[in-house]
Amino acid sequence: MPSPPLVDNLDIVIPTIRSLAFLEQWRPFFIKYHLIIIQDGDPTAKIEVPEGFDYELYNRNDIERILGDKAWCISFKDSACRCFGYMVSKKRYIYTIDDDCFVAKDPSGEDINALEQHIKNLLCASTPDFFNTLYDPYAPGSDFVRGYPFSMREGKPTAVSHGLWLNIPDYDAPTQMVKPAERNTRYVDAVMTIPKGTLFPMCGMNLAFDRTAIGPAMYFGLMGEGQPWGRYDDMWAGWCVKKICDHLDLGVKTGLPYIWHSKASNPFVNLRKEYKGIFWQEEIIPFFQQATLSADSKDVFSCYTELAEKVREGLGHLDPYFSKLADGMIAWVECWKQLNP
């Protein structure tokens, strides 16, 4: 049998506080790939991993041992800890998935190989500069529509592939409360490039990216224990990443593949985590929309460092937390460089 695509050049990163029985359903698709498991919470708890998987596991003690006095920049008691796995990986590509996400089925009843579709998305160009109304022009059976400039048809390199979810949608707490029984049953067979200049709410539960192109910006912030908000870790990373992708002429795709999201989190617990963010995002999003990166920022490191200082200056009035977050962004970059010389 031929090897799966990118088997030697992609790591699967999974944050967890529990045993990983969910991997049994993913076995046909994941078994040949290397897993990086980030254990959150109690480092003495035993995490069971099904037999046969190739993996390395890091807990809080490991994070503190490896990062030393900068370990504080990695969140504790929050799935944002997953970004430590991005940092310690040595592969070009990352796929990250939550442990309550299972294999979905397409409309024909076939199991969806989410990882394979993400790889197709990443290895295929994006079209951020001009929207193609037939979605991804490089997909089988599609093409550029009439009126699409020929000078733009080569596209741009794809840095991020953002997958979606069947069953439990990724809603905020207020929406969960007013629609407790709502389930996503719509399978839309489409991938599209998010246009340049447009932000989006990135979800980290079914996400792949080119670590070489954008990894140092894929920081999930300071969330969890001791922090004033939660459940904005992936969205924070998404706002930063999209701003930098636009600046560096990289593409971000969203749509296929779908996974089956099995478990709705408690909306009242979520509201306690989110409530400051619900107010803050009304200023954070305009901040990112208006922020510009200088021509001197020519790589992801310089872009992210510049963006960190803009966060300190532009969002510090909201709460002292944002100055600390800017420090965390700088510490994260320093740690990344230290582990990836």
Side-chain angles (χ1 to χ4, degrees):
M1 282 184 64
S3 295
L6 299 182
V7 68
D8 295 321
N9 212 7
L10 182 146
D11 282 331
I12 299 173
V13 175
I14 305 168
T16 194
I17 58 170
R18 59 181 64 86
S19 293
L20 296 178
F22 92 112
L23 284 172
E24 285 296 352
Q25 199 179 103
W26 288 102
R27 183 179 289 274
F29 306 128
F30 288 0
I31 191 64
K32 297 289 182 67
Y33 291 88
H34 181 67
L35 312 181
I36 298 178
I37 300 164
I38 310 299
Q39 178 180 348
D40 197 20
D42 181 4
T44 66
K46 173 73 172 170
I47 299 291
E48 299 290 344
V49 180
E51 189 175 348
F53 284 92
D54 172 40
Y55 70 93
E56 52 192 302
L57 187 150
Y58 297 90
N59 60 34
R60 191 68 198 182
N61 292 340
D62 298 315
I63 292 171
E64 292 179 355
R65 172 178 53 82
I66 293 167
L67 299 186
D69 62 4
K70 292 188 177 69
W72 64 270
C73 76
I74 303 298
S75 299
F76 182 53
K77 295 189 177 178
D78 191 278
S79 64
C81 67
R82 80 177 77 219
C83 63
F84 179 76
Y86 310 159
M87 184 187 288
V88 296
S89 171
K90 302 304 176 193
K91 306 287 179 61
R92 175 166 180 177
Y93 297 99
I94 295 288
Y95 174 51
T96 185
I97 185 170
D98 283 5
D99 61 14
D100 62 351
C101 294
F102 293 86
V103 177
K105 292 187 181 295
D106 66 20
S108 71
E110 292 293 312
D111 286 347
I112 297 169
N113 184 345
L115 181 53
E116 182 179 61
Q117 179 65 49
H118 275 298
I119 290 169
K120 288 178 181 177
N121 293 348
L122 288 170
L123 295 183
C124 186
S126 292
T127 54
D129 297 313
F130 200 87
F131 188 77
N132 192 56
T133 51
L134 262 184
Y135 310 121
D136 190 344
Y138 309 107
S142 184
D143 210 324
F144 293 96
V145 297
R146 181 171 57 89
Y148 201 100
F150 283 87
S151 60
M152 294 183 177
R153 295 190 181 193
E154 277 191 17
K156 300 291 172 61
T158 301
V160 179
S161 172
H162 179 256
L164 300 175
W165 348 267
L166 293 172
N167 196 36
I168 307 294
D170 186 29
Y171 284 162
D172 53 36
T175 309
Q176 280 184 292
M177 288 175 178
V178 298
K179 295 182 172 182
E182 184 154 296
R183 300 293 180 265
N184 182 34
T185 59
R186 293 187 306 150
Y187 179 96
V188 180
D189 187 4
V191 177
M192 65 187 76
T193 299
I194 300 172
K196 191 170 187 174
T198 300
L199 297 174
F200 75 112
M202 190 175 81
C203 172
M205 73 172 89
N206 176 27
L207 178 73
F209 61 93
D210 184 331
R211 181 177 173 276
T212 303
I214 203 65
M218 199 60 84
Y219 175 49
F220 276 41
L222 294 173
M223 305 283 155
E225 186 172 84
Q227 308 303 337
W229 65 339
R231 285 173 52 84
Y232 276 85
D233 51 332
D234 42 8
M235 286 184 284
W236 179 263
W239 297 328
C240 294
V241 160
K242 186 58 166 63
K243 199 73 196 179
I244 293 172
C245 283
D246 287 353
H247 182 75
L248 296 178
D249 265 349
L250 300 170
V252 177
K253 292 184 176 182
T254 188
L256 301 179
Y258 285 91
I259 49 82
W260 182 267
H261 185 210
S262 66
K263 188 178 68 178
S265 48
N266 186 309
F268 297 98
V269 173
N270 290 347
L271 184 61
R272 193 160 57 238
K273 294 177 180 179
E274 292 174 6
Y275 79 95
K276 287 190 175 182
I278 291 169
F279 292 100
W280 286 347
Q281 70 186 6
E282 300 302 321
E283 294 197 43
I284 293 171
I285 292 170
F287 161 79
F288 277 103
Q289 289 173 326
Q290 294 160 18
T292 56
L293 295 170
S294 68
D296 292 336
S297 292
K298 299 181 186 299
D299 60 32
V300 65
F301 289 107
S302 55
C303 285
Y304 201 67
T305 301
E306 181 181 355
L307 191 55
E309 293 307 323
K310 288 185 181 293
V311 166
R312 190 190 314 278
E313 296 164 13
L315 294 176
H317 69 280
L318 283 178
D319 193 276
Y321 163 82
F322 287 96
S323 180
K324 182 179 178 183
L325 177 56
D327 290 339
M329 294 167 72
I330 299 296
W332 158 267
V333 166
E334 291 172 350
C335 291
W336 188 287
K337 288 180 176 178
Q338 178 185 334
L339 296 183
N340 300 275

